[in-house]
Amino acid sequence: MSRPLALVAGAGGVLGGSLARQFSGSGYEVVGLRRADCDLADGDAVAQAIAALIERHGPVDTLLYNAGHLAVAPFLELEASALRECLEAGPVGAAHCARAVLPGMLAVGRGNLLFTGATASLRGSARFAAMATGKFALRGLVQSLAREFHPQGIHVAHVVLDGMLRGSVAASRYVAGEAPVMTPDGVAANFLWLAQQAPFAWTQELDLRTAWEKF
Amino acid sequence: MSRPLALVAGAGGVLGGSLARQFSGSGYEVVGLRRADCDLADGDAVAQAIAALIERHGPVDTLLYNAGHLAVAPFLELEASALRECLEAGPVGAAHCARAVLPGMLAVGRGNLLFTGATASLRGSARFAAMATGKFALRGLVQSLAREFHPQGIHVAHVVLDGMLRGSVAASRYVAGEAPVMTPDGVAANFLWLAQQAPFAWTQELDLRTAWEKF
Amino acid sequence: MSRPLALVAGAGGVLGGSLARQFSGSGYEVVGLRRADCDLADGDAVAQAIAALIERHGPVDTLLYNAGHLAVAPFLELEASALRECLEAGPVGAAHCARAVLPGMLAVGRGNLLFTGATASLRGSARFAAMATGKFALRGLVQSLAREFHPQGIHVAHVVLDGMLRGSVAASRYVAGEAPVMTPDGVAANFLWLAQQAPFAWTQELDLRTAWEKF
Amino acid sequence: MSRPLALVAGAGGVLGGSLARQFSGSGYEVVGLRRADCDLADGDAVAQAIAALIERHGPVDTLLYNAGHLAVAPFLELEASALRECLEAGPVGAAHCARAVLPGMLAVGRGNLLFTGATASLRGSARFAAMATGKFALRGLVQSLAREFHPQGIHVAHVVLDGMLRGSVAASRYVAGEAPVMTPDGVAANFLWLAQQAPFAWTQELDLRTAWEKF
């Protein structure tokens, strides 16, 4: 029997790597979609890239949408493109990917759409106006997809990373010294858990934190 | 003494009209920004239009950001432009307007940024993927602006209309018969209240509902 | 015409005083219920005390439930009675008061039930286990009352004070030097606003913060 | 090596049974605390019962707090004892159990405190005033415990069952015909997952729903 296909969008970072390894190690075939492969903000490009993947590997069982854009600055000093880039890496790219994989999932009545959120998905903050805009938007999209596609057998979940990842660009910029961070493998294991939850007891939103996160 | 200036962005609908009348009746000079005046998604156009208003009327005391886009359909049947239009009328236009009025407010250490939200600001729903994306995004932006600008004397608040407005386009499409709706004047009075709250007891988010709303 | 009656439960603190003055100054007859008058945890005592007030002053138009208990300590060091006292001053006393005033409100199809919450209504915190338990509980009660009694014409609202009150016992213990606090009069004005909102645009939960509150 | 000890409080229902089986099948020794064993509302009785269990079986590794009280009625028709029973089965019993197991966990710097919530933990509803009061209160307690004990190595999590369990008393009363319910085994598997999460990526609140839950 062929292995289920996991598609990692935003495969370039540390979490993308852990997700690929863990899903691969648990019986999935894993393919990645990187910025170099196609512009996530371009709906036609995403549709073509994913159609090509499906033609080669078969329908997607699990979408792991893990793209994001880092922009931290006082509101009046944000670069002109920051808000647009946060929206494109967030809800716009996510909607394009969901649209491309959903028909194949609906045809078999199963599948997983899993999206990576952040502290900024739940709370706005000074210096995080652009990121909170993008991450709130993604959460609103994911909740809407869950309500629409859960009854059709598609598990739609949002994973809120309320803290930083060891080895990430964000941690290298913003975490000082011995401050606690989450391990990418510890985080990735939870996406695998979500993909395997029993269908009559699905999680829609999962938060993950270090033991020291203030939340 | 000159009257404080209220700027209504998204002045065309029933709530825009009530806001203009009530602020005008309470001692404000009111100016409106309509789609015909400038494209809210175009940062340069918004900056120029608001600069022209400020040159003529003086600095803005209260921004009433009331624009929105209506798009209700199953996710896979949404028009290609629906998500973009919800984002442009939501966080993109709101950020452009905030950026244009904030310097004048910061110069005097006071002002109000008030934004109109909806049920879709708090919960995603089937058929509301585009609207929830735009409205969640606006809420994330507003929370971030509140955290950054409250300490500088600017009151930033989000008003969640958890129900439909009598006479609105949405009500004419989606409300049947005698179903309860909110009166635009009843709603607008709350924006005026927010603009007048004592500075050491500010509301960041205000919900408004008919007595029958399920919430 | 007789003046509407406002009943302040938990009338002893600084906010109780401001509420009494502001409602009195706006045309209400105001009566207070103090710990000395009756034990809020004793349903029969509350029922009798309020029945006596109603017999003398007529039915209650607006209940202002403002009681609370202060208990801040690490969980394993909380006094044995702390949790019980937070629950009694919170949801237990509130339910007893609501039960005593509701029949009179339902008879005329109008009235206001307004309850005072806190930061601990929205978020648990280390050292606040007892208070968060009581304040979360009160919020759950108030939401349920809102959903049940809004359609019958009773406005039920929860006011979240996300900060400390000038002159309060809590501020005298926990606020250092020039830290920002809310003025009791600034806060009380919002209860008056809630009691006067137009019936087709009611707020269910109102947050109040100083400009510097982190939220 | 001895097996870690799991203590199920509220062991009598369908979920208690599944939790016992699954933890037992995954290498835990499982003991149950039933209403017949001790009154959860009586702090001294709980302390003695758990001390006796610890003396016989060693320290508790994982507390599964699963007690609850079912009370559904219009607010003015609730039995006089309903609110008290919801609070006792909820936060009062939970605090007593947490207090009894925490010292042993702190001594070894690890352990899990897992608590069962419900839809009524997140939203009040008409006819659910007593249950929402108890379940909101439990959530406030659990959040506070998480913030206090996460940094000391204790994983504290709240599992929100947003739906009914197959075979439960609630389902037998309130679920008609073919309406979707969650399987107790599907739910219990998530408690096991929480007990095994990597320490630098802990979930504080997990929601579980059937595919058809409205949320």
Side-chain angles (χ1 to χ4, degrees):
Chain A
M1 201 188 101
S2 71
R3 298 188 298 161
L5 183 66
L7 169 59
V8 183
V14 289
L15 182 55
S18 280
L19 288 168
R21 276 193 306 279
Q22 295 207 7
F23 274 76
S24 183
S26 296
Y28 288 78
E29 181 178 359
V30 178
V31 293
L33 203 61
R34 282 186 182 67
R35 193 162 291 224
D37 301 320
C38 78
D39 177 3
L40 288 172
D42 179 341
D44 291 335
V46 171
Q48 285 175 24
I50 292 184
L53 290 173
I54 290 175
E55 199 178 314
R56 193 172 329 135
H57 301 276
V60 175
D61 178 84
T62 298
L63 169 68
L64 299 154
Y65 190 84
N66 183 46
H69 180 75
L70 194 63
V72 184
F75 178 68
L76 294 175
E77 298 170 24
L78 277 167
E79 288 183 40
S81 62
L83 187 60
R84 181 176 50 72
E85 291 187 275
C86 285
L87 290 170
E88 287 178 356
V92 174
H96 290 331
C97 289
R99 205 173 284 119
V101 300
L102 270 164
M105 293 181 177
L106 293 169
V108 295
R110 58 156 285 128
N112 299 283
L113 302 175
L114 308 182
F115 301 85
T116 304
T119 308
S121 306
L122 304 180
R123 288 194 304 275
S125 304
R127 303 175 60 87
F128 284 78
M131 292 187 68
T133 301
K135 285 295 190 186
F136 267 63
L138 179 63
R139 188 177 184 232
L141 173 69
V142 176
Q143 283 192 10
S144 299
L145 296 178
R147 294 188 187 195
E148 185 165 340
F149 295 106
H150 274 187
Q152 302 182 58
I154 317 298
H155 184 188
V156 183
H158 185 231
V159 181
V160 178
L161 308 194
D162 193 12
M164 277 187 268
L165 288 168
R166 180 175 299 164
S168 67
V169 176
S172 69
R173 274 196 216 159
Y174 299 110
V175 175
E178 298 298 304
V181 288
M182 294 190 278
T183 64
D185 283 351
V187 167
N190 288 280
F191 286 78
L192 197 54
W193 172 251
L194 291 173
Q196 298 172 349
Q197 278 185 313
F200 279 98
W202 273 345
T203 294
Q204 203 278 308
E205 185 162 87
L206 184 86
D207 60 289
L208 296 171
R209 313 163 195 273
T210 69
W212 294 268
E213 188 63 23
K214 284 253 191 288
F215 70 103
Chain B
M1 203 188 98
S2 70
R3 299 188 296 162
L5 182 66
L7 169 59
V8 183
V14 289
L15 181 55
S18 281
L19 288 168
R21 276 194 306 279
Q22 295 207 6
F23 274 76
S24 183
S26 296
Y28 288 78
E29 182 178 0
V30 179
V31 293
L33 202 62
R34 280 186 183 68
R35 194 161 288 226
D37 302 320
C38 78
D39 177 3
L40 287 172
D42 179 340
D44 291 335
V46 171
Q48 283 175 25
I50 293 184
L53 289 173
I54 290 176
E55 198 178 315
R56 193 172 329 134
H57 302 276
V60 175
D61 177 84
T62 298
L63 170 67
L64 299 154
Y65 191 83
N66 184 44
H69 181 74
L70 193 63
V72 184
F75 178 68
L76 295 174
E77 298 169 23
L78 277 168
E79 288 183 39
S81 62
L83 187 60
R84 180 176 51 72
E85 291 187 275
C86 286
L87 289 170
E88 288 178 356
V92 174
H96 289 332
C97 288
R99 204 172 285 120
V101 301
L102 269 166
M105 292 181 176
L106 292 169
V108 295
R110 59 157 284 127
N112 299 283
L113 302 175
L114 308 181
F115 301 85
T116 304
T119 308
S121 306
L122 304 180
R123 288 194 303 276
S125 305
R127 303 174 61 85
F128 284 79
M131 291 187 69
T133 301
K135 285 295 190 185
F136 267 63
L138 178 63
R139 189 177 184 232
L141 173 69
V142 175
Q143 283 192 10
S144 300
L145 295 178
R147 295 190 186 193
E148 185 165 339
F149 294 106
H150 274 186
Q152 303 182 57
I154 316 299
H155 184 188
V156 183
H158 185 231
V159 181
V160 178
L161 309 193
D162 193 11
M164 276 187 268
L165 287 168
R166 180 176 299 165
S168 67
V169 176
S172 69
R173 275 194 215 162
Y174 300 110
V175 175
E178 298 297 304
V181 289
M182 294 190 278
T183 64
D185 283 351
V187 167
N190 288 280
F191 286 79
L192 197 55
W193 172 250
L194 290 174
Q196 298 172 348
Q197 278 186 313
F200 278 98
W202 273 345
T203 294
Q204 203 280 308
E205 184 161 88
L206 183 87
D207 60 289
L208 296 171
R209 313 164 195 272
T210 70
W212 293 268
E213 188 63 24
K214 283 253 191 288
F215 69 101
Chain C
M1 200 189 100
S2 71
R3 299 188 297 162
L5 182 66
L7 169 60
V8 183
V14 289
L15 181 55
S18 281
L19 289 168
R21 275 194 306 279
Q22 295 206 6
F23 275 76
S24 183
S26 296
Y28 287 79
E29 182 178 359
V30 179
V31 292
L33 202 62
R34 281 186 181 69
R35 193 162 290 225
D37 300 321
C38 79
D39 177 3
L40 287 171
D42 178 342
D44 291 336
V46 170
Q48 284 176 24
I50 292 183
L53 290 172
I54 289 175
E55 200 179 313
R56 194 173 326 135
H57 301 275
V60 175
D61 177 84
T62 298
L63 170 68
L64 299 154
Y65 190 84
N66 185 45
H69 180 75
L70 193 63
V72 184
F75 178 67
L76 294 175
E77 297 169 24
L78 278 167
E79 288 184 40
S81 62
L83 187 60
R84 181 175 51 72
E85 291 188 275
C86 286
L87 289 170
E88 288 179 356
V92 174
H96 290 331
C97 288
R99 205 173 283 121
V101 302
L102 270 165
M105 293 180 177
L106 293 169
V108 295
R110 56 158 284 127
N112 299 284
L113 302 175
L114 308 181
F115 301 85
T116 304
T119 308
S121 306
L122 303 180
R123 288 195 304 275
S125 305
R127 304 175 61 86
F128 283 79
M131 292 187 68
T133 302
K135 285 296 190 186
F136 268 64
L138 179 63
R139 188 175 184 235
L141 173 69
V142 175
Q143 282 192 9
S144 299
L145 296 177
R147 293 186 188 197
E148 185 165 340
F149 295 107
H150 275 186
Q152 303 183 56
I154 317 298
H155 183 188
V156 183
H158 185 231
V159 181
V160 178
L161 309 193
D162 194 11
M164 277 187 268
L165 288 167
R166 181 174 298 164
S168 68
V169 175
S172 69
R173 275 196 215 160
Y174 299 109
V175 175
E178 298 298 305
V181 288
M182 293 189 279
T183 63
D185 282 352
V187 167
N190 288 280
F191 286 77
L192 197 54
W193 172 251
L194 291 173
Q196 297 172 349
Q197 278 185 313
F200 278 98
W202 274 345
T203 294
Q204 203 279 308
E205 186 161 86
L206 183 87
D207 60 288
L208 296 171
R209 313 165 196 271
T210 69
W212 293 268
E213 188 63 23
K214 284 254 192 287
F215 69 102
Chain D
M1 201 189 100
S2 71
R3 299 188 297 161
L5 182 66
L7 169 59
V8 183
V14 289
L15 181 56
S18 280
L19 288 168
R21 275 194 306 279
Q22 295 206 6
F23 274 75
S24 183
S26 296
Y28 287 79
E29 182 178 359
V30 179
V31 292
L33 202 62
R34 282 186 181 67
R35 194 161 291 223
D37 301 320
C38 79
D39 177 4
L40 287 172
D42 179 341
D44 291 335
V46 171
Q48 284 175 24
I50 292 184
L53 290 172
I54 289 176
E55 200 179 313
R56 193 171 331 134
H57 302 275
V60 175
D61 177 84
T62 298
L63 170 68
L64 299 154
Y65 190 83
N66 184 44
H69 181 74
L70 193 63
V72 183
F75 178 66
L76 295 175
E77 297 170 23
L78 277 168
E79 288 184 42
S81 62
L83 186 61
R84 181 176 50 73
E85 291 187 275
C86 286
L87 290 170
E88 287 179 356
V92 174
H96 290 332
C97 289
R99 205 173 283 121
V101 302
L102 269 165
M105 292 180 177
L106 293 169
V108 296
R110 59 157 283 127
N112 299 283
L113 302 175
L114 308 181
F115 301 84
T116 304
T119 308
S121 306
L122 303 180
R123 289 195 304 276
S125 305
R127 303 175 61 87
F128 283 79
M131 291 187 69
T133 301
K135 285 296 190 187
F136 268 64
L138 179 63
R139 189 177 184 232
L141 173 69
V142 176
Q143 283 192 8
S144 299
L145 295 177
R147 294 188 186 195
E148 185 165 340
F149 295 107
H150 274 187
Q152 303 182 57
I154 317 298
H155 184 188
V156 183
H158 185 231
V159 181
V160 177
L161 309 193
D162 194 12
M164 277 187 269
L165 288 167
R166 181 175 298 165
S168 67
V169 176
S172 70
R173 276 196 214 159
Y174 299 109
V175 175
E178 297 298 303
V181 289
M182 293 190 278
T183 64
D185 283 351
V187 167
N190 288 280
F191 286 79
L192 197 55
W193 171 251
L194 290 173
Q196 297 172 349
Q197 278 185 314
F200 279 99
W202 273 345
T203 294
Q204 203 279 309
E205 185 161 86
L206 184 87
D207 61 289
L208 296 171
R209 315 165 195 270
T210 70
W212 294 269
E213 189 64 23
K214 285 252 192 287
F215 70 100

